[in-house]
Amino acid sequence: MSWEKIGKEGSLLRWYDVMEADKYEYTVGPAGEQFFNGLKEGKIIGSKCPKCGKIYVPARLYCEDCFVKIDSYVEINKDEAYVDSYTIIYRDDEGNKLDIPVYIALIRFPNTKGGILCYAEGNVRIGGKVKITSFQWPLRVKVE
Amino acid sequence: MKVNIYLNKRVAVIGAGLTLFRRRLLETPQEIAWEAARKALDEAGLELRDIDCVVIGSAPDAFDGVHMKGEYLSHGSGGIRKPVSRVFVGGATGVMTAIAGWYHVASGLCQRVLAVAEEKMSPSRPHPQAIFKYIWDPILEKPLNPNLIWIFAMEMHRYMATYGIKKEDIALVSVKNKRNALNNPYAQLGANITVEDVLKSEVLVWPVQLLDVSPVSDGAAAIVLASEDVARRYTDTPVWVEGVGWTLDNTEWPARDLAYARYVEFAARMAYKMAGIERPNKEIDVVEPYDPFDYKELHHLEALQLAKRGEAPKLLKEGVFDIDGDIPSSPSGGLLGVGNPIAAAGLMKVVSIYWQLKGTAGKMQVKKPVHTGLAQAWGDLMQAGTVIVMRN
């Protein structure tokens, strides 16, 4: 609206309020529990569709294509992880410049569907081989 | 048919699925959507690849705590690489989901549609009531810090005052619905309670007391709709969607008559006209009116023209709306008995009528033979009415 351009804010009658956020408690679900309990043991857990054989990482409860329930969980070979794509963050949410840029990588595993976003360090590059250095969520990885 | 709506195809419901309605379900929203959708496909005898499009119903995003819930739910609802749309009109969403599925088929656009409604109310803490804070006018109403129970309380009070209705007459709805819910394997709050229990329960916002209100729940519901030629191939007992109606009244709630649900009346008239119903109280065999609060069921029965204004409590007392009465109302147990995951609760009412008309409602099945049923939901800023009439 035009009055905003001329900046006569103080002369307008308005009402100020704050829309505070509420607290949420999200559940990870049965498949999510398998996945997160796996992380505690340093394992990456996926789930395998009984119909099409597709392996989802992280594990999930149903196959979105076959639409059947998945109850077989498999451990993924974490040494095969690779960087699918990455980005470098230079400023935080409020626009302040970060002292050290943050690398975020999307890592995937061969022959699986899905991927995991994590903090990355090292020689971060697309296709780079990944070593998971921390299983705390979000994961931290080092690219060789 | 003359309601400014022109139909290409007759539409049938051929499958339905529900999850348990519970507080704090372990599964994620996508997982419960999947469970309901899977059951509906199984009942219809279809696979996901047979489905032409998916309609998702979920009330405001804030309940589950994710923004753009339609997109979030899409892979759980079978919507990957298909035309997907999401509808939401607050509490009226559940029945609107069925209506949106219906018009995809009735228009001739699709032959088989999966309609899924999901809601998890329990992630928001301490209570989902806080989510409702920002549906009010930020200048005129918000400074009073209103919540939904306030508004219900004022509506209930006006309803009682206009027609001289006593609280004990209204409490009978809660007694009836929680008793009916004992027959429903999906229900959260089936119980044998008395009017006395309701009147003695904690006063939340006068005259609304704890047992006047439906519980906070998580849950999902789904149906499969198909055009007539397709439906005949999959089932011998299709249930036809004969009439639908939806209305949005003025959303400025203080400007509205609190004693009478005009928005529901208008939606019902639209659906009745489409279904060729002239005397609803003689022609509707079983009804699932929206009952998040006990007086609301009475309010809606009147707006649906199943009772004269102010007379629903009298008919209720006479047993007309009991499971073995003339017009059994909420034989599923309704929101008061089954639970109230908003959008899913509305579609649960459609599912309930579908099972009644198919004759597969099990212990919920009403005593008399049924031919025509009606499900209704209501919500948004308390001014949206949605109605669906089905026949077997």
Side-chain angles (χ1 to χ4, degrees), chain A residues 13-33 51 54 56 59-70 73 113, chain B residues 25-28 30-31 34 37-38 41 47-48 62-66 75-78 80-81 114 120 122-126 130-131 133-134 138-139 142-143:
Chain A
L13 188 60
R14 26 172 93 187
W15 195 282
Y16 292 95
D17 201 351
V18 179
M19 189 162 170
E20 73 267 32
D22 273 288
K23 184 171 74 173
Y24 283 96
E25 188 175 309
Y26 301 95
T27 50
V28 296
E33 284 198 1
K51 208 165 168 184
K54 211 177 286 141
Y56 288 93
R60 69 151 78 149
L61 196 65
Y62 54 86
C63 176
E64 66 188 30
D65 296 320
C66 307
F67 227 55
V68 294
K69 185 166 183 169
I70 302 182
Y73 295 96
K113 187 170 165 124
Chain B
L25 279 179
L26 178 64
E27 286 79 6
T28 64
Q30 297 146 325
E31 287 167 347
W34 169 80
R38 179 72 256 174
L41 287 171
E47 279 303 326
L48 187 58
F63 291 133
D64 288 73
V66 276
H75 70 68
S77 307
I80 301 293
R81 292 177 289 278
L114 178 61
K120 270 192 99 171
S122 56
S124 67
R125 299 294 163 82
I131 306 276
K133 262 189 194 167
Y134 300 95
I139 295 166
K142 176 60 182 46

Coordinates of all heavy atoms in Angstrom, one line a residue, chain A residues 13-33 51 54 56 59-70 73 113, chain B residues 25-28 30-31 34 37-38 41 47-48 62-66 75-78 80-81 114 120 122-126 130-131 133-134 138-139 142-143:
Chain A
L13 N -3.1 4.3 12.8 CA -3.7 3.6 14.0 C -3.5 2.2 13.8 O -4.0 1.6 12.8 CB -5.1 4.0 14.1 CG -5.8 3.5 15.4 CD1 -5.2 4.1 16.6 CD2 -7.3 3.9 15.3
R14 N -2.7 1.5 14.6 CA -2.5 0.1 14.4 C -2.4 -0.6 15.8 O -2.3 0.0 16.8 CB -1.3 -0.3 13.6 CG -0.1 0.8 13.6 CD 1.0 0.2 12.9 NE 1.1 0.5 11.5 CZ 2.0 0.0 10.7 NH1 2.9 -0.9 11.1 NH2 2.0 0.3 9.4
W15 N -2.5 -1.9 15.7 CA -2.5 -2.7 16.9 C -1.3 -3.7 16.9 O -1.1 -4.3 15.9 CB -3.7 -3.6 17.0 CG -4.0 -4.2 18.3 CD1 -3.3 -5.2 18.8 CD2 -4.8 -3.6 19.3 NE1 -3.8 -5.4 20.1 CE2 -4.7 -4.5 20.4 CE3 -5.7 -2.6 19.4 CZ2 -5.4 -4.3 21.6 CZ3 -6.4 -2.4 20.5 CH2 -6.3 -3.2 21.6
Y16 N -0.5 -3.6 17.9 CA 0.7 -4.5 17.9 C 0.5 -5.7 18.7 O -0.1 -5.7 19.8 CB 1.9 -3.7 18.5 CG 2.4 -2.6 17.6 CD1 1.9 -1.3 17.8 CD2 3.2 -2.9 16.5 CE1 2.3 -0.3 16.9 CE2 3.6 -1.9 15.6 CZ 3.2 -0.6 15.8 OH 3.5 0.4 15.0
D17 N 0.9 -6.9 18.2 CA 0.8 -8.1 19.0 C 2.0 -9.0 18.6 O 2.6 -8.8 17.6 CB -0.5 -8.8 18.6 CG -1.0 -9.8 19.6 OD1 -0.2 -10.1 20.6 OD2 -2.1 -10.3 19.6
V18 N 2.2 -10.0 19.4 CA 3.3 -10.9 19.1 C 2.6 -12.3 18.9 O 1.8 -12.7 19.8 CB 4.3 -11.0 20.3 CG1 5.4 -12.0 20.0 CG2 4.9 -9.6 20.5
M19 N 2.9 -13.0 17.9 CA 2.4 -14.3 17.6 C 3.4 -15.3 18.1 O 4.3 -15.7 17.4 CB 2.1 -14.5 16.2 CG 1.3 -15.8 15.9 SD 0.6 -15.7 14.3 CE 0.0 -17.4 14.1
E20 N 3.3 -15.7 19.4 CA 4.3 -16.6 19.9 C 4.1 -18.0 19.4 O 3.0 -18.4 19.1 CB 4.3 -16.6 21.5 CG 3.1 -17.3 22.1 CD 2.0 -16.3 22.4 OE1 1.8 -15.4 21.6 OE2 1.3 -16.6 23.4
A21 N 5.2 -18.7 19.3 CA 5.2 -20.1 18.8 C 4.9 -21.0 20.0 O 5.2 -20.7 21.2 CB 6.5 -20.5 18.2
D22 N 4.2 -22.1 19.7 CA 3.9 -23.1 20.7 C 5.0 -24.2 20.7 O 5.7 -24.3 19.8 CB 2.5 -23.7 20.5 CG 1.5 -22.9 21.2 OD1 1.4 -22.9 22.4 OD2 0.7 -22.2 20.4
K23 N 5.0 -24.9 21.8 CA 5.9 -26.1 21.8 C 5.3 -27.3 21.1 O 4.1 -27.5 21.2 CB 6.2 -26.4 23.2 CG 7.3 -27.5 23.4 CD 7.7 -27.6 24.9 CE 6.6 -28.3 25.7 NZ 7.0 -28.6 27.0
Y24 N 6.1 -28.0 20.4 CA 5.5 -29.2 19.8 C 6.4 -30.4 20.2 O 7.5 -30.3 20.5 CB 5.6 -29.1 18.2 CG 4.6 -28.3 17.6 CD1 4.8 -27.0 17.3 CD2 3.3 -28.8 17.4 CE1 3.8 -26.2 16.8 CE2 2.3 -28.0 16.8 CZ 2.6 -26.7 16.5 OH 1.6 -25.9 16.0
E25 N 5.7 -31.6 20.3 CA 6.4 -32.8 20.6 C 6.1 -33.8 19.4 O 4.9 -34.2 19.3 CB 6.0 -33.4 21.9 CG 6.8 -34.6 22.3 CD 6.4 -35.1 23.7 OE1 6.4 -34.3 24.7 OE2 6.2 -36.3 23.8
Y26 N 7.0 -34.0 18.6 CA 6.8 -34.9 17.4 C 7.2 -36.3 17.8 O 8.2 -36.5 18.5 CB 7.7 -34.4 16.3 CG 7.4 -33.0 15.8 CD1 8.2 -31.9 16.3 CD2 6.4 -32.7 14.9 CE1 7.9 -30.6 15.9 CE2 6.1 -31.4 14.5 CZ 6.9 -30.3 15.0 OH 6.7 -29.1 14.6
T27 N 6.5 -37.2 17.2 CA 6.9 -38.6 17.3 C 7.6 -39.1 16.1 O 7.3 -38.6 15.0 CB 5.7 -39.6 17.6 OG1 4.7 -39.3 16.5 CG2 5.1 -39.3 18.9
V28 N 8.6 -40.0 16.3 CA 9.4 -40.4 15.1 C 8.7 -41.6 14.4 O 9.0 -41.9 13.3 CB 10.8 -40.8 15.4 CG1 11.6 -39.5 15.9 CG2 10.9 -41.9 16.5
G29 N 7.8 -42.3 15.1 CA 7.1 -43.4 14.5 C 7.9 -44.7 14.7 O 9.1 -44.6 15.0
P30 N 7.3 -45.8 14.4 CA 7.9 -47.1 14.6 C 9.2 -47.3 13.7 O 10.2 -47.8 14.2 CB 6.9 -48.2 14.2 CG 5.6 -47.4 14.3 CD 5.9 -46.0 14.0
A31 N 9.1 -46.9 12.5 CA 10.3 -47.0 11.6 C 11.4 -46.0 12.0 O 12.6 -46.3 12.1 CB 9.9 -46.8 10.2
G32 N 10.9 -44.8 12.4 CA 11.9 -43.8 12.9 C 12.6 -44.3 14.2 O 13.8 -44.0 14.4
E33 N 11.9 -45.0 15.0 CA 12.6 -45.6 16.2 C 13.7 -46.6 15.8 O 14.7 -46.6 16.5 CB 11.5 -46.3 17.1 CG 10.7 -45.3 17.9 CD 10.0 -45.9 19.1 OE1 10.2 -47.1 19.3 OE2 9.3 -45.2 19.7
K51 N 7.8 -55.9 -1.5 CA 7.2 -56.1 -2.8 C 8.2 -55.8 -3.9 O 8.5 -56.6 -4.8 CB 5.9 -55.3 -3.0 CG 4.9 -55.9 -3.9 CD 3.6 -55.2 -3.7 CE 2.7 -55.6 -4.9 NZ 1.4 -54.8 -4.8
K54 N 12.9 -52.2 -2.8 CA 13.5 -50.9 -2.7 C 13.9 -50.8 -1.2 O 13.2 -51.2 -0.3 CB 12.5 -49.9 -3.0 CG 13.1 -48.6 -3.6 CD 12.0 -47.7 -4.0 CE 11.3 -48.1 -5.3 NZ 9.9 -47.9 -5.3
Y56 N 14.7 -48.1 1.7 CA 14.6 -46.7 2.1 C 15.5 -46.4 3.2 O 15.7 -47.1 4.2 CB 13.1 -46.4 2.6 CG 12.1 -46.4 1.5 CD1 11.4 -47.6 1.2 CD2 11.8 -45.3 0.8 CE1 10.4 -47.6 0.2 CE2 10.9 -45.2 -0.2 CZ 10.2 -46.4 -0.5 OH 9.2 -46.4 -1.5
A59 N 15.0 -45.5 7.5 CA 13.9 -46.5 7.5 C 12.5 -45.9 7.5 O 12.3 -44.8 8.2 CB 14.0 -47.4 8.7
R60 N 11.6 -46.4 6.8 CA 10.2 -45.9 6.9 C 9.2 -47.1 6.9 O 9.6 -48.2 6.5 CB 9.9 -44.9 5.9 CG 9.8 -45.4 4.5 CD 8.9 -44.5 3.8 NE 9.5 -43.2 3.4 CZ 9.2 -42.5 2.4 NH1 8.3 -43.0 1.6 NH2 9.8 -41.4 2.1
L61 N 8.0 -46.8 7.3 CA 7.0 -47.8 7.6 C 6.3 -48.4 6.4 O 5.7 -49.5 6.5 CB 6.0 -47.3 8.6 CG 5.1 -48.3 9.3 CD1 5.9 -49.1 10.3 CD2 4.0 -47.5 10.1
Y62 N 6.3 -47.7 5.3 CA 5.5 -48.2 4.1 C 6.3 -47.8 2.9 O 7.1 -46.8 2.9 CB 4.1 -47.6 4.1 CG 4.1 -46.1 4.2 CD1 4.3 -45.3 3.0 CD2 4.1 -45.4 5.4 CE1 4.3 -44.0 3.1 CE2 4.1 -44.0 5.4 CZ 4.3 -43.3 4.3 OH 4.3 -42.0 4.3
C63 N 6.0 -48.5 1.8 CA 6.6 -48.2 0.5 C 5.6 -47.2 -0.2 O 4.5 -47.5 -0.4 CB 6.8 -49.4 -0.4 SG 7.4 -49.0 -2.0
E64 N 6.1 -46.0 -0.6 CA 5.2 -45.0 -1.2 C 4.8 -45.4 -2.6 O 3.8 -44.9 -3.0 CB 5.9 -43.7 -1.2 CG 7.1 -43.6 -2.1 CD 7.9 -42.3 -2.0 OE1 7.9 -41.7 -0.9 OE2 8.4 -41.8 -3.0
D65 N 5.5 -46.3 -3.2 CA 5.1 -46.7 -4.6 C 4.1 -48.0 -4.5 O 3.1 -48.0 -5.1 CB 6.3 -47.1 -5.4 CG 7.1 -45.8 -5.6 OD1 6.5 -44.7 -5.9 OD2 8.4 -45.9 -5.6
C66 N 4.6 -49.0 -3.8 CA 3.8 -50.2 -3.7 C 2.6 -50.1 -2.7 O 1.6 -50.8 -2.7 CB 4.6 -51.4 -3.3 SG 6.0 -51.7 -4.3
F67 N 2.8 -49.1 -1.8 CA 1.8 -48.8 -0.7 C 1.6 -50.0 0.2 O 0.4 -50.3 0.6 CB 0.5 -48.4 -1.4 CG -0.1 -47.1 -0.8 CD1 0.7 -46.0 -0.6 CD2 -1.4 -47.1 -0.3 CE1 0.2 -44.9 0.0 CE2 -1.9 -46.0 0.3 CZ -1.1 -44.9 0.4
V68 N 2.6 -50.8 0.4 CA 2.5 -51.9 1.4 C 3.3 -51.6 2.6 O 4.2 -50.8 2.6 CB 2.9 -53.2 0.7 CG1 2.0 -53.7 -0.4 CG2 4.4 -53.2 0.3
K69 N 3.0 -52.3 3.7 CA 3.7 -52.1 4.9 C 5.1 -52.7 4.8 O 5.3 -53.8 4.2 CB 3.0 -52.7 6.1 CG 3.6 -52.5 7.4 CD 2.7 -52.8 8.6 CE 3.5 -52.4 9.9 NZ 2.7 -52.4 11.0
I70 N 6.1 -52.0 5.4 CA 7.4 -52.5 5.4 C 7.8 -52.9 6.9 O 7.7 -52.1 7.8 CB 8.5 -51.5 5.0 CG1 8.1 -51.0 3.6 CG2 9.9 -52.0 5.0 CD1 9.1 -50.0 3.0
Y73 N 13.8 -54.6 8.4 CA 14.8 -53.5 8.6 C 16.2 -54.1 8.2 O 16.5 -55.2 8.6 CB 14.8 -53.0 10.0 CG 13.5 -52.3 10.3 CD1 12.4 -52.9 10.9 CD2 13.3 -50.9 9.9 CE1 11.2 -52.3 11.1 CE2 12.0 -50.3 10.1 CZ 11.0 -51.0 10.7 OH 9.8 -50.4 10.9
K113 N 17.0 -45.7 -1.6 CA 16.2 -44.5 -1.9 C 16.2 -43.6 -0.7 O 16.0 -44.1 0.5 CB 14.8 -45.0 -2.2 CG 13.9 -43.8 -2.7 CD 12.6 -44.3 -3.3 CE 11.7 -43.0 -3.4 NZ 11.2 -42.8 -4.8
Chain B
L25 N -0.8 -40.9 19.4 CA -0.4 -42.1 18.6 C 1.1 -42.1 18.4 O 1.6 -41.0 18.1 CB -1.2 -42.2 17.3 CG -2.6 -42.7 17.3 CD1 -3.2 -42.6 15.9 CD2 -2.7 -44.1 17.8
L26 N 1.7 -43.3 18.4 CA 3.1 -43.3 18.2 C 3.5 -43.0 16.7 O 4.5 -42.4 16.5 CB 3.6 -44.8 18.5 CG 5.0 -45.1 18.3 CD1 5.9 -44.3 19.2 CD2 5.3 -46.6 18.5
E27 N 2.7 -43.4 15.8 CA 3.0 -43.2 14.4 C 3.0 -41.7 14.0 O 2.4 -40.9 14.6 CB 2.0 -43.9 13.5 CG 2.1 -45.5 13.5 CD 1.5 -46.1 14.7 OE1 0.9 -45.4 15.5 OE2 1.7 -47.3 14.9
T28 N 3.8 -41.5 12.9 CA 3.8 -40.1 12.4 C 2.5 -39.8 11.6 O 1.8 -40.8 11.2 CB 5.0 -39.9 11.4 OG1 4.8 -40.8 10.3 CG2 6.3 -40.3 12.1
Q30 N 2.1 -39.0 8.5 CA 2.2 -39.7 7.2 C 1.8 -41.2 7.4 O 1.2 -41.8 6.6 CB 3.5 -39.6 6.6 CG 3.9 -38.2 6.3 CD 5.4 -37.9 6.5 OE1 6.0 -38.5 7.4 NE2 5.9 -37.0 5.7
E31 N 2.3 -41.8 8.5 CA 2.1 -43.2 8.7 C 0.6 -43.5 9.0 O 0.1 -44.5 8.5 CB 3.0 -43.7 9.8 CG 4.5 -43.8 9.4 CD 5.5 -44.0 10.5 OE1 5.1 -43.9 11.7 OE2 6.6 -44.3 10.2
W34 N -1.2 -43.2 5.8 CA -1.0 -44.4 5.0 C -1.9 -45.6 5.4 O -2.5 -46.3 4.7 CB 0.5 -44.9 5.0 CG 0.7 -46.2 4.4 CD1 0.8 -46.5 3.1 CD2 0.7 -47.4 5.2 NE1 0.9 -47.9 3.0 CE2 0.9 -48.5 4.2 CE3 0.7 -47.8 6.5 CZ2 0.9 -49.8 4.5 CZ3 0.8 -49.1 6.9 CH2 0.9 -50.1 5.9
A37 N -5.4 -45.1 4.4 CA -5.5 -45.2 2.9 C -5.4 -46.7 2.4 O -6.1 -47.2 1.6 CB -4.5 -44.4 2.2
R38 N -4.4 -47.4 3.1 CA -4.2 -48.8 2.7 C -5.5 -49.6 3.0 O -5.9 -50.4 2.2 CB -3.0 -49.3 3.5 CG -2.7 -50.8 3.3 CD -2.1 -51.0 1.9 NE -3.0 -51.6 1.0 CZ -2.7 -51.8 -0.3 NH1 -1.6 -51.4 -0.8 NH2 -3.6 -52.4 -1.1
L41 N -8.1 -48.9 0.3 CA -7.8 -49.6 -0.9 C -8.1 -51.1 -0.8 O -8.7 -51.7 -1.7 CB -6.3 -49.4 -1.3 CG -5.9 -48.0 -1.8 CD1 -4.4 -47.9 -1.9 CD2 -6.6 -47.6 -3.1
E47 N -5.5 -51.3 -6.0 CA -4.1 -50.9 -5.7 C -3.9 -49.5 -6.0 O -4.7 -48.8 -6.7 CB -3.1 -51.8 -6.5 CG -2.9 -53.2 -6.0 CD -2.4 -53.2 -4.5 OE1 -1.7 -52.3 -4.1 OE2 -2.8 -54.1 -3.8
L48 N -2.8 -48.9 -5.4 CA -2.6 -47.5 -5.6 C -2.5 -47.1 -7.1 O -2.9 -46.0 -7.5 CB -1.3 -47.1 -4.9 CG -1.0 -45.6 -4.8 CD1 -2.1 -44.8 -4.2 CD2 0.3 -45.4 -4.1
A62 N -1.2 -26.1 11.8 CA -0.6 -26.0 13.1 C -0.8 -27.2 14.1 O 0.0 -27.4 14.9 CB -1.1 -24.7 13.8
F63 N -1.8 -28.0 13.9 CA -2.0 -29.1 14.8 C -0.9 -30.1 14.7 O -0.3 -30.5 15.7 CB -3.3 -29.8 14.4 CG -4.5 -29.1 14.7 CD1 -5.6 -29.0 13.8 CD2 -4.7 -28.4 16.0 CE1 -6.7 -28.2 14.1 CE2 -5.8 -27.7 16.3 CZ -6.8 -27.6 15.3
D64 N -0.5 -30.5 13.5 CA 0.6 -31.5 13.4 C 1.9 -30.8 13.6 O 2.9 -31.5 13.7 CB 0.6 -32.2 12.0 CG -0.6 -33.1 11.9 OD1 -1.7 -32.7 11.7 OD2 -0.4 -34.3 11.9
G65 N 2.0 -29.5 13.5 CA 3.2 -28.8 13.6 C 4.1 -28.8 12.4 O 5.3 -28.8 12.5
V66 N 3.5 -29.0 11.2 CA 4.3 -28.8 10.0 C 3.5 -27.9 9.1 O 2.3 -28.0 9.0 CB 4.5 -30.2 9.3 CG1 5.7 -30.9 9.8 CG2 3.3 -31.0 9.3
H75 N 3.0 -38.3 0.4 CA 3.5 -39.7 0.1 C 2.8 -40.8 1.0 O 2.6 -41.9 0.6 CB 5.0 -39.8 0.0 CG 5.8 -39.7 1.3 ND1 5.7 -40.6 2.3 CD2 6.6 -38.7 1.7 CE1 6.5 -40.2 3.3 NE2 7.1 -39.0 2.9
G76 N 2.4 -40.4 2.2 CA 1.7 -41.3 3.0 C 0.2 -41.5 2.5 O -0.4 -42.5 2.7
S77 N -0.3 -40.6 1.7 CA -1.6 -40.7 1.2 C -1.7 -41.2 -0.2 O -2.7 -41.2 -0.8 CB -2.3 -39.3 1.2 OG -2.2 -38.7 2.5
G78 N -0.6 -41.7 -0.7 CA -0.6 -42.2 -2.1 C -0.5 -41.2 -3.2 O -0.9 -41.5 -4.3
I80 N 2.0 -39.6 -4.6 CA 3.3 -39.4 -5.3 C 3.0 -39.5 -6.8 O 2.5 -40.5 -7.3 CB 4.4 -40.4 -4.9 CG1 4.6 -40.2 -3.4 CG2 5.6 -40.2 -5.7 CD1 5.2 -38.9 -3.0
R81 N 3.4 -38.5 -7.6 CA 3.3 -38.5 -9.0 C 1.8 -38.7 -9.5 O 1.6 -39.3 -10.5 CB 4.2 -39.6 -9.7 CG 5.7 -39.3 -9.5 CD 6.6 -40.3 -10.1 NE 6.6 -41.5 -9.3 CZ 7.3 -41.7 -8.2 NH1 8.1 -40.8 -7.7 NH2 7.2 -42.8 -7.5
L114 N -8.9 -41.5 -4.3 CA -8.6 -41.8 -2.9 C -8.7 -40.5 -2.1 O -8.0 -39.5 -2.5 CB -7.2 -42.4 -2.8 CG -6.7 -42.8 -1.4 CD1 -7.6 -43.8 -0.8 CD2 -5.3 -43.4 -1.5
K120 N -3.2 -35.0 13.6 CA -2.7 -35.3 14.9 C -2.7 -34.1 15.7 O -2.1 -33.1 15.5 CB -1.2 -35.8 14.7 CG -1.0 -37.3 14.5 CD 0.4 -37.7 14.7 CE 0.7 -38.3 16.0 NZ 2.0 -38.9 16.1
S122 N -2.1 -34.1 19.0 CA -1.3 -34.2 20.2 C 0.1 -33.6 20.2 O 0.7 -33.4 21.3 CB -1.3 -35.6 20.8 OG -0.8 -36.5 19.8
P123 N 0.7 -33.4 19.0 CA 2.1 -32.8 19.1 C 2.2 -31.4 19.7 O 3.2 -31.1 20.4 CB 2.5 -32.7 17.6 CG 1.7 -33.7 16.9 CD 0.4 -33.8 17.6
S124 N 1.1 -30.6 19.6 CA 1.2 -29.3 20.1 C 1.0 -29.3 21.6 O 0.1 -29.9 22.2 CB 0.2 -28.4 19.5 OG -1.1 -28.7 19.8
R125 N 1.9 -28.6 22.3 CA 1.9 -28.6 23.8 C 1.8 -27.2 24.3 O 2.3 -26.2 23.7 CB 3.2 -29.2 24.3 CG 3.4 -30.6 23.9 CD 2.3 -31.5 24.6 NE 2.2 -32.8 23.9 CZ 3.0 -33.8 24.1 NH1 3.9 -33.7 25.0 NH2 2.8 -34.9 23.5
P126 N 1.1 -26.9 25.4 CA 0.6 -28.0 26.3 C -0.8 -28.5 25.7 O -1.2 -29.6 26.1 CB 0.4 -27.3 27.6 CG 0.2 -25.8 27.3 CD 1.0 -25.6 26.1
A130 N -4.3 -23.7 22.2 CA -3.4 -22.5 21.9 C -3.3 -22.2 20.5 O -3.2 -21.0 20.1 CB -2.0 -22.7 22.5
I131 N -3.4 -23.2 19.6 CA -3.3 -23.0 18.2 C -4.4 -22.1 17.6 O -4.2 -21.5 16.6 CB -3.4 -24.4 17.5 CG1 -2.4 -25.4 18.1 CG2 -3.3 -24.3 16.0 CD1 -1.1 -25.3 17.5
K133 N -5.6 -19.5 18.8 CA -5.5 -18.1 19.2 C -5.6 -17.1 18.0 O -6.1 -16.0 18.2 CB -4.2 -17.9 20.0 CG -4.3 -17.9 21.4 CD -3.0 -17.4 22.0 CE -2.9 -17.8 23.5 NZ -1.6 -17.6 24.0
Y134 N -4.9 -17.6 17.0 CA -4.8 -16.6 15.9 C -5.8 -16.8 14.7 O -5.5 -16.4 13.6 CB -3.3 -16.6 15.4 CG -2.4 -16.3 16.5 CD1 -1.8 -17.3 17.3 CD2 -2.2 -15.0 16.9 CE1 -1.1 -17.0 18.4 CE2 -1.5 -14.6 18.0 CZ -0.9 -15.6 18.7 OH -0.1 -15.3 19.8
P138 N -7.5 -9.9 14.7 CA -6.4 -9.5 15.6 C -6.7 -8.2 16.4 O -6.0 -7.9 17.4 CB -5.2 -9.3 14.6 CG -5.8 -9.1 13.3 CD -7.1 -9.8 13.3
I139 N -7.6 -7.4 15.9 CA -7.8 -6.1 16.6 C -9.1 -6.1 17.5 O -9.1 -5.8 18.6 CB -7.9 -5.0 15.6 CG1 -6.6 -4.8 14.8 CG2 -8.4 -3.6 16.2 CD1 -6.6 -4.0 13.6
K142 N -8.9 -10.5 19.4 CA -7.7 -11.1 20.0 C -7.3 -10.5 21.3 O -6.8 -11.2 22.2 CB -6.6 -11.1 18.9 CG -5.2 -11.6 19.4 CD -5.3 -13.0 19.8 CE -3.9 -13.5 20.3 NZ -3.2 -12.6 21.2
P143 N -7.5 -9.2 21.5 CA -7.1 -8.6 22.8 C -7.8 -9.3 24.0 O -7.2 -9.2 25.1 CB -7.4 -7.2 22.7 CG -7.3 -6.9 21.2 CD -7.8 -8.1 20.5

